[in-house]
Amino acid sequence: MTESIRRSGEYDTPYTNPYQGAPQHASSPVDPGWPAPPARPPAQPGTAVRPGQGGAGDGGHGGDTAPAVLPAAPAAPSAPAPGKRARGPVALLAAVAIVAAAIGGGTAYGIQELTGSDTVTTSSTSTSVVPAGQKGTVAGVAKAVSPSIVEINATSNAGSSTGSGVIITGDGEVVTNNHVVSGASSITVTTSDGKEYTARIVGTDSSKDLALIELSGASGLKAATLGDSDGVQVGDEVVAIGSPEGLTGTVTSGIVSALDRDVTVSTDEGQQQQQRGGGWPFEFGGRQFNGDTGSSTTTYKAIQTDASLNPGNSGGALIDMNGNIIGINSAMYSAAGSSSADAGSVGLGFAIPINTVKSDLAQLRAGSGS
């Protein structure tokens, strides 16, 4: 009588190591991450092969022609359950994406906290608002940004004045200079498409010569993109858009001539309404330009530019070649009243850095006046 002899417990326990010689069952899944098991010598004819053995069965019974039934290999580990961390390059890429999103979201949230509204569009100076085909051109900047620049006509007991402004929200918030609207009893704003709106003063800050006005019944306006004036360098090309002498949407260009210039302007309301020779009085380098600034003054750090600025450009935009607003034009030397040979811009203009504007928006929105 022929029989296969098995020691007690020899096949009772499943294998826990796939490399111990047990062949895998055909229906068992194979993890592609496992290396191939070591080669096993082929079984001799008539020999029952047991795990861990390459020869005949115990007791020397070599006439057994049918192999012993072997237990199935253990099932391969299942795929990680949803929610568990993935491994390898995919996990690394996912982690990088999450970090980048967190940084971007944190930056946007910081800007919202800074400005008090999530409707103000802001960017670094590396972000291009200009279409790719016209990037870096004055024409491209003018086309992209002109719809965001307005003309402002303010009337007061002292007379009337004309200036410019920059739309910062689609529902009609406009930033301009304090001296353009200070003391005004009525304000009319004209957009680039010729549409007129009445406006009210929301808040002013005479210490920075800034004001925020709001257009009545406006919606769907094109808001400008506020850049980062900290990234501006001397020699950068710039474009200025405004309404000098009431010429709506006038475009000029030049470069950044200097940074952090100390410009002194009047904070006296009556003084601000005086259009001396058509210009706005200011002090720079120990000299007074366009008349007397008066006894009540304030000094701020400004961007100097040689882009042509004339009376009426006040409150308009100084723009980088990507179409981002980097400053609000506020003071310029006007040669009006001089001889014809000296008339026109002399390339001495100043703009309030846009980062100063952004840091002041919450106060302006709160209706602060100083």
Side-chain angles (χ1 to χ4, degrees), residues 61-275:
H61 298 284
D64 203 354
T65 58
V69 178
L70 302 177
S78 59
K84 291 187 177 181
R85 187 177 65 182
R87 296 175 296 177
V90 175
L92 177 60
L93 291 175
V96 171
I98 291 171
V99 171
I103 292 173
T107 303
Y109 179 77
I111 291 172
Q112 292 173 23
E113 287 296 301
L114 181 67
T115 62
S117 171
D118 58 2
T119 57
V120 176
T121 305
T122 64
S123 76
S124 67
T125 54
S126 61
T127 301
S128 183
V129 180
V130 181
Q134 294 183 303
K135 186 175 180 181
T137 66
V138 174
V141 172
K143 183 177 181 179
V145 184
S146 287
S148 302
I149 312 302
V150 300
E151 179 180 309
I152 299 174
N153 290 282
T155 303
S156 69
N157 294 332
S160 62
S161 63
T162 299
S164 306
V166 178
I167 299 171
I168 62 169
T169 64
D171 58 359
E173 284 189 336
V174 174
V175 169
T176 186
N177 287 141
N178 179 55
H179 75 260
V180 171
V181 298
S182 178
S185 56
S186 66
I187 302 172
T188 302
V189 173
T190 305
T191 55
S192 63
D193 59 3
K195 189 171 182 179
E196 290 190 355
Y197 297 87
T198 59
R200 69 179 184 90
I201 297 175
V202 177
T204 61
D205 186 350
S206 60
S207 67
K208 297 182 179 68
D209 195 18
L210 291 173
L212 180 68
I213 64 175
E214 184 177 39
L215 310 189
S216 177
S219 64
L221 301 180
K222 183 175 181 180
T225 299
L226 309 186
D228 179 7
S229 52
D230 287 345
V232 175
Q233 299 182 39
V234 174
D236 284 350
E237 293 182 271
V238 290
V239 173
I241 304 179
S243 299
E245 306 294 353
L247 300 174
T248 305
T250 296
V251 178
T252 57
S253 64
I255 63 168
V256 173
S257 303
L259 300 172
D260 298 324
R261 293 298 201 193
D262 289 328
V263 173
T264 301
V265 298
S266 174
T267 59
D268 181 72
E269 184 176 299
Q271 194 78 12
Q272 291 174 13
Q273 292 301 321
Q274 298 181 32
Q275 298 293 311

